[in-house]
Amino acid sequence: MSVTNEFFKENVICGVRVGTMSSSDTTKWCKPSPPFVKINFDGSVINSVAAGGFVLRNELGNPLIAKALNLGHNTIEVAEALALQEAICWAKRKNFSHIIVEGDSKVIIDVVQGKCKISWNLRSILEDVN
């Protein structure tokens, strides 16, 4: 098992919000409780050109690290996976050991939690994360 794999399993809590919202629903970002930091990651694809990014925030909600990634021609799943991979790498570099991860990609969250099989195109990205 890789070092990142072990880090993820020991230090990360994953969350995903799935469902439909009516116009009267409001979603509010919640601060992590100490000693946790929170990573929010996302990916986007427009005309087959992908971008991704993440924000890592402390218990006060203040950004500690924020990055945007130009990911070239990719799928949304690859963009989301690369954004998560980059976020975890930065968290490790900064020696954060208590991390909550939130994202809107049920596929990516399920893969890192071991709830579904990993597809071939995500294997090399996520095998070092989950």
Side-chain angles (χ1 to χ4, degrees):
M1 183 183 285
S2 72
V3 172
T4 306
N5 246 342
E6 290 172 14
F7 175 86
F8 191 89
K9 289 186 185 303
E10 293 174 6
N11 298 297
V12 177
I13 298 171
C14 284
V16 63
R17 292 188 186 114
V18 178
T20 58
M21 293 177 57
S22 71
S23 59
S24 64
D25 288 338
T26 302
T27 300
K28 183 178 179 187
W29 184 86
C30 297
K31 299 175 192 173
S33 300
F36 287 91
V37 294
K38 185 182 277 190
I39 292 172
N40 291 92
F41 72 98
D42 202 6
S44 175
V45 176
I46 298 175
N47 297 326
S48 298
V49 178
F54 69 91
V55 177
L56 192 145
R57 293 184 175 104
N58 65 13
E59 70 277 359
L60 301 174
N62 297 329
L64 302 173
I65 303 168
K67 298 285 179 187
L69 311 164
N70 179 344
L71 303 171
H73 291 280
N74 271 305
T75 65
I76 188 62
E77 290 84 9
V78 169
E80 297 266 1
L82 288 169
L84 176 57
Q85 178 191 51
E86 188 73 8
I88 295 295
C89 287
W90 273 98
K92 284 181 58 183
R93 284 183 203 135
K94 298 295 184 179
N95 295 316
F96 293 113
S97 59
H98 294 84
I99 301 167
I100 297 170
V101 174
E102 285 185 344
D104 63 358
S105 175
K106 183 164 177 18
V107 170
I108 301 302
I109 297 294
D110 283 352
V111 166
V112 297
Q113 290 181 329
K115 293 180 180 177
C116 68
K117 290 185 178 183
I118 190 167
S119 63
W120 67 269
N121 62 332
L122 299 178
R123 185 173 310 282
S124 63
I125 301 167
L126 293 178
E127 69 186 357
D128 209 30
V129 172
N130 64 355

